[in-house]
Amino acid sequence: MKAYITYFKLKFISGLQYRQAAYAGIATQFFFGIVYIMVYIAFYQSGGKNIPMTLSQIITYLWLNQALLALINQFSRDKELFKLVKGGGISYELARPKSLYFMWYFKILGQRLSNVTLRVFPLLFVTILLPEPYNLSAPSSINCLILFIVSLILGTLLVTALTVLYPIITLTTIDENGIVNIVITISDILSGLVVPIPFFPLFLQKISSVLPFQYISDLPFRIYVGNISISNGIYGIVIQFIWLIIITLLGVLLLNKSMKRVVVQGG
């Protein structure tokens, strides 16, 4: 376990060096956050009926989405891992007496945490100080805050497990485009990054409820704003944990199977 923590630390520390990229990301996410909020304010002022979330809830949901985007997005890829797979460097990884899956897992986790560390606090600080209705609201209760933290941790672990699948798939397909892009597009939509799940048509809500993507970000954000009851939040966290186990086991099995057929070309 100490070796995997070392991989995590190395990736985390190296990620903290890209401060200019983080500053650009903060400005970009703040800009898009304001734009999204203006769109929703116009939508709410148009007099729509049966709206599933209050204006305060949706604005807080959107700010959490932007502030934690580097942590919970599915389109982030570790280019080094793809380079290892496609360039033959994976042979050096196999020479190490450690689980290849968990080496990759902790590297990706370290990268995600380092990216969000540089962005989340400035964004949260600024959005809390914004005037109503543009500001980030406090959690609806202490219980919601506790469940939010637990759910966010599980969501982070879950999205990391999903991200590890991308280089594993590349071991078979040779190229990361195609099926990986399809999975990323579907997961972006069904995780609530584009539109919150409560605004989906009923049939799409049912589909998203049986897939893992909703439990990455939509669940913890809706727990925070109080759009989900405590009992439903606990139930969702249980489902999160089950999906984490399933995706992790799937990744380990696929990687072990791929290693039996892997061919490293070159001289």
Side-chain angles (χ1 to χ4, degrees), residues 152-163:
L152 182 63
I153 292 172
L154 289 175
T156 302
L157 298 177
L158 178 57
V159 73
T160 303
L162 285 167
T163 308

Side-chain angles (χ1 to χ4, degrees), residues 72-78 82 112 159 162-167 169-170 176-194 213 216:
I72 46 85
N73 74 81
Q74 287 86 65
F75 50 80
S76 177
R77 312 182 191 185
D78 191 321
F82 288 108
R112 286 183 174 272
V159 73
L162 285 167
T163 308
V164 178
L165 291 179
Y166 302 157
I169 292 173
T170 308
E176 71 270 21
N177 298 312
I179 186 171
V180 171
N181 286 340
I182 292 173
V183 173
I184 290 174
T185 302
I186 293 173
S187 63
D188 276 351
I189 296 172
L190 296 183
S191 65
L193 284 181
V194 179
F213 312 119
I216 294 171

Side-chain angles (χ1 to χ4, degrees), residues 53-205:
M53 299 176 72
T54 67
L55 181 59
S56 176
Q57 287 177 339
I58 189 63
I59 289 175
T60 298
Y61 183 106
L62 292 171
W63 280 132
L64 290 174
N65 215 335
Q66 292 299 316
L68 297 168
L69 184 64
L71 185 66
I72 46 85
N73 74 81
Q74 287 86 65
F75 50 80
S76 177
R77 312 182 191 185
D78 191 321
K79 295 181 180 179
E80 291 183 8
L81 295 185
F82 288 108
K83 188 175 181 180
L84 285 174
V85 171
K86 298 168 69 174
I90 191 173
S91 57
Y92 297 104
E93 298 279 275
L94 294 174
R96 297 185 174 96
K98 299 295 178 183
S99 168
L100 183 60
Y101 178 87
F102 287 104
M103 282 196 298
W104 288 0
Y105 187 96
F106 280 91
K107 286 180 179 179
I108 293 174
L109 182 60
Q111 181 182 46
R112 286 183 174 272
L113 288 176
S114 66
N115 289 340
V116 77
T117 298
L118 294 172
R119 306 181 187 194
V120 63
F121 298 110
L123 267 172
L124 291 179
F125 178 75
V126 172
T127 54
I128 288 173
L129 298 178
L130 290 176
E132 294 184 357
Y134 294 91
N135 64 304
L136 173 75
S137 301
S140 54
S141 69
I142 293 297
N143 290 335
C144 287
L145 177 60
I146 295 172
L147 288 181
F148 163 74
I149 294 172
V150 174
S151 182
L152 182 63
I153 292 172
L154 289 175
T156 302
L157 298 177
L158 178 57
V159 73
T160 303
L162 285 167
T163 308
V164 178
L165 291 179
Y166 302 157
I168 294 175
I169 292 173
T170 308
L171 282 169
T172 302
T173 61
I174 308 301
D175 189 82
E176 71 270 21
N177 298 312
I179 186 171
V180 171
N181 286 340
I182 292 173
V183 173
I184 290 174
T185 302
I186 293 173
S187 63
D188 276 351
I189 296 172
L190 296 183
S191 65
L193 284 181
V194 179
V195 178
I197 302 298
F199 289 87
F200 282 13
L202 186 58
F203 78 96
L204 271 182
Q205 291 188 38

